[in-house]
Amino acid sequence: MQEITRDTLISRAKELLASGEVDRVYGWKRGEFCYDVTPALFTDAESLEKDFEWGDFCGANLSKYLVEETRKSEGKILVFMKPCDTYSFNQLLTEHRFDREKVYVIGTPCAGMLDPKRIRDHAESFTSVVSDENGVTVSTLFDGDVKLDRSEVMPDRCLNCKSKKHVAYDELFGEDGGTIASGRFDEVEKIEKMTPDERFEFWRGELSRCIRCNACRDVCPACTCEKCVFDNPNSGVENKAAENSFEEQMFHIIRAFHVAGRCTDCGECSRVCPQQIPLHLLNRKFIKDIDGFYGEYQAGAEVGSRAPLVDYTTEDIEPSDAVKGGDENA
Amino acid sequence: MSISKEPYRPLIVAFCCNWCSYAGADLAGNNRLAYPADVKIIRVPCSCRVNPTFILRAFQRGADGVILCGCHPGDCHYTSGNYYTRRRMALLFSMLDYLGIERERTRVEWVSAAEGAKFAATMNDFCETVASLGENKRLEDLRCKK
Ligand code: SF4
Ligand code: SF4
């Protein structure tokens, strides 16, 4: 259950549309089921009333859509943002990807989203999901109602939320929170402690499921290049289902490397992956290393900060000293 | 009938910066210092020209080891190129290790134009290390193998 209701957001959006302050609204739209919510653009009060959605399945980060949308006209766009989305928003501003003046941001507090994939693990063929202070009630087609604890069905990104604080907004609903010392590197550490062979097996198991749909790239707010290496037929990792194991690894190393230092750890890549590949564990490895080697850095925490990979000091760690895996039995 | 197999020789790709390490390799040659012919040198304007994809691509096309040589930190012809290299490669190597790929297959070494002996010694050492690991199985692309 989210603290702010859908109606509150809709009525504020309508006000801003009516006053002419904004001429478009970026929000979420409900699909056929309660859990298939997609980002959507609204231009009038009626469609807002009809389709606008705010709730446990509004995980989509709307910041990347602003890059294209702000170029379409001079008018202002109203956009709703959860705390984690505002980091991506700032990172895009740092990279001069859109004009801040054309956006009106309303910050919405977030109680953590729910992950339909995890719900499915507990409740086959579910049709509706209702959440309140006591937890989540899932109605299923064949097994009646299933009661679950919220933490059982939240995605990793929300279980290990790094911040409930909005780092960018024009208007804020509810109370703003603070940053959280989450256990987001615990999983990374677990993998680091494995032997090299175990690590290789672990990642082969995960990455070999990849179908190269490129959804992780497409959704990532840090991936906003207009020409992408993965579309270049000479790159050796062009768009297509990987033919062999190497391509999967190469794709994933390159994808993660291209956003290293700029990834805000928003978790969108893992959210959209149809194969449930824990992509955030690759990004977080880079974040953890960067924190360890060059000092703590949170991409998107402020506009204009210098990303670690376009910076240096004369005392930086040598690559040969950087590799400190786990158990040395290789 | 027995088929005689040639002894295994690793394929090493060495990216060398034009201003220091490539000249260092030259010096090694002029001084007749021996290093294995398994090393294929690719000259780059600066170590910082080497995009991590180059390294992965070399492995994809069949390299067993990739070494990147540049000017010593502080001596870059373009002032700061190798400092960026150092950060990039530190992160890349750590990531390769995280994926369970043998860390000994990649290396960065700073070799100046005056260090012909160091160049030869580095290459000898690296070839030996890679040869002892054997063929690169974890980062290869079968289609690219002859
Ligand atoms: S790599 Fe993933 S977690 Fe990082 S910014 Fe992109 S979508 Fe978000
Ligand atoms: S979203 Fe998942 S399946 Fe699709 S390309 Fe990315 S990792 Fe592969």
Side-chain angles (χ1 to χ4, degrees):
Chain A
M1 192 185 66
Q2 302 295 334
E3 178 189 331
I4 304 291
T5 62
R6 168 181 182 264
D7 292 339
T8 319
L9 299 189
I10 294 181
S11 63
R12 184 63 186 136
K14 280 195 205 155
E15 266 171 43
L16 287 164
L17 273 177
S19 71
E21 170 84 24
V22 301
D23 62 6
R24 285 159 292 167
V25 178
Y26 236 114
W28 302 269
K29 177 178 170 178
R30 193 182 160 138
E32 194 158 345
F33 299 101
C34 65
Y35 55 84
D36 56 10
V37 177
T38 53
L41 189 71
F42 301 89
T43 47
D44 53 60
E46 261 162 67
S47 58
L48 278 169
E49 275 294 350
K50 190 164 151 274
D51 292 326
F52 185 91
E53 171 75 1
W54 168 245
D56 289 335
F57 295 100
C58 294
N61 177 342
L62 304 176
S63 55
K64 186 174 181 177
Y65 295 91
L66 299 171
V67 175
E68 286 231 333
E69 198 53 42
T70 48
R71 293 183 192 166
K72 289 189 183 154
S73 83
E74 285 309 307
K76 245 187 185 193
I77 305 161
L78 165 63
V79 64
F80 294 101
M81 292 210 160
K82 308 183 290 297
C84 56
D85 304 342
T86 59
Y87 286 79
S88 314
F89 181 86
N90 272 354
Q91 185 59 30
L92 286 164
L93 284 177
T94 301
E95 293 166 11
H96 309 284
R97 302 302 283 139
F98 61 84
D99 183 357
R100 176 71 177 87
E101 297 302 310
K102 287 187 178 174
V103 187
Y104 189 94
V105 182
I106 292 187
T108 48
C110 174
M113 292 290 144
L114 301 185
D115 183 353
K117 297 182 234 172
R118 294 196 74 189
I119 296 179
R120 210 163 283 134
D121 290 343
H122 297 279
E124 280 284 331
S125 315
F126 69 95
T127 49
S128 73
V129 179
V130 185
S131 71
D132 57 30
E133 309 80 61
N134 303 322
V136 183
T137 312
V138 185
S139 315
T140 66
L141 279 181
F142 310 114
D143 307 322
D145 284 359
V146 180
K147 279 212 155 284
L148 294 165
D149 201 48
R150 205 177 168 84
S151 64
E152 286 178 287
V153 285
M154 287 216 289
D156 182 272
R157 82 197 259 203
C158 300
L159 288 172
N160 287 307
C161 178
K162 63 184 178 293
S163 170
K164 295 275 185 209
K165 181 177 164 205
H166 291 80
V167 288
Y169 58 85
D170 295 301
E171 186 178 329
L172 193 64
F173 280 145
E175 283 280 307
D176 209 10
T179 53
I180 307 166
S182 66
R184 63 184 172 133
F185 297 124
D186 293 356
E187 282 292 310
V188 176
E189 274 163 23
K190 237 195 257 165
I191 299 171
E192 284 172 345
K193 290 208 182 86
M194 296 177 185
T195 66
D197 288 343
E198 285 169 352
R199 287 201 290 273
F200 188 73
E201 287 311 316
F202 170 79
W203 283 111
R204 287 274 344 107
E206 296 292 345
L207 302 183
S208 59
R209 296 201 305 274
C210 176
I211 54 172
R212 270 310 289 281
C213 63
N214 283 338
C216 49
R217 172 199 67 174
D218 293 345
V219 78
C220 175
C223 284
T224 58
C225 298
E226 270 144 45
K227 286 199 171 152
C228 175
V229 58
F230 299 126
D231 298 331
N232 173 0
N234 297 323
S235 67
V237 273
E238 62 271 25
N239 265 323
K240 58 178 167 51
E243 279 194 16
N244 57 50
S245 59
F246 179 83
E247 248 182 57
E248 285 146 12
Q249 288 166 328
M250 186 147 158
F251 169 73
H252 286 98
I253 300 169
I254 298 173
R255 188 203 63 77
F257 199 93
H258 280 196
V259 298
R262 308 186 299 116
C263 165
T264 60
D265 201 8
C266 67
E268 283 289 88
C269 42
S270 298
R271 181 182 69 86
V272 297
C273 178
Q275 298 293 81
Q276 305 208 41
I277 298 172
L279 293 159
H280 58 280
L281 295 180
L282 293 174
N283 305 318
R284 282 182 185 166
K285 169 65 178 168
F286 277 129
I287 296 174
K288 181 171 176 281
D289 278 349
I290 287 171
D291 284 354
F293 299 160
Y294 313 120
E296 286 207 9
Y297 179 80
Q298 172 59 54
E302 1 174 339
V303 179
S305 64
R306 211 172 158 87
L309 276 173
V310 291
D311 203 1
Y312 67 88
T313 72
T314 52
E315 308 304 322
D316 285 339
I317 188 169
E318 288 292 333
S320 50
D321 299 330
V323 180
K324 294 233 169 50
D327 194 1
E328 300 308 30
N329 56 4
Chain B
M1 198 180 85
S2 70
I3 300 169
S4 75
K5 263 190 126 190
E6 299 206 358
Y8 165 70
R9 296 301 316 165
L11 178 64
I12 309 282
V13 174
F15 290 100
C16 293
C17 106
N18 181 41
W19 305 101
C20 292
S21 311
Y22 195 77
D26 239 4
L27 187 65
N30 285 340
N31 291 346
R32 300 184 178 256
L33 299 167
Y35 65 88
D38 309 324
V39 180
K40 312 289 181 234
I41 296 181
I42 298 178
R43 179 162 66 157
V44 286
C46 174
S47 58
C48 157
R49 174 69 185 87
V50 178
N51 176 328
T53 311
F54 291 8
I55 297 191
L56 298 174
R57 190 84 164 121
F59 282 123
Q60 182 187 28
R61 306 303 286 259
D64 297 310
V66 181
I67 182 164
L68 171 55
C69 302
C71 311
H72 285 268
D75 289 344
C76 176
H77 185 77
Y78 307 101
T79 318
S80 55
N82 52 5
Y83 286 128
Y84 295 107
T85 310
R86 186 156 68 173
R87 283 207 168 182
R88 263 182 229 158
M89 294 306 145
L91 291 176
L92 178 69
F93 291 2
S94 177
M95 177 53 83
L96 289 176
D97 180 57
Y98 185 62
L99 295 174
I101 287 140
E102 303 98 334
R103 69 194 64 171
E104 295 88 354
R105 288 194 192 277
T106 42
R107 195 183 286 187
V108 169
E109 203 70 55
W110 312 119
V111 179
S112 82
E115 294 176 326
K118 179 172 179 188
F119 185 87
T122 304
M123 291 305 155
N124 279 315
D125 181 63
F126 189 57
C127 282
E128 220 169 275
T129 313
V130 175
S132 70
L133 290 174
E135 260 184 90
N136 163 33
K137 289 265 179 247
R138 293 191 168 173
L139 271 178
E140 70 176 356
D141 185 335
L142 294 172
R143 289 168 308 161
C144 295
K145 284 249 153 154
K146 289 261 161 52

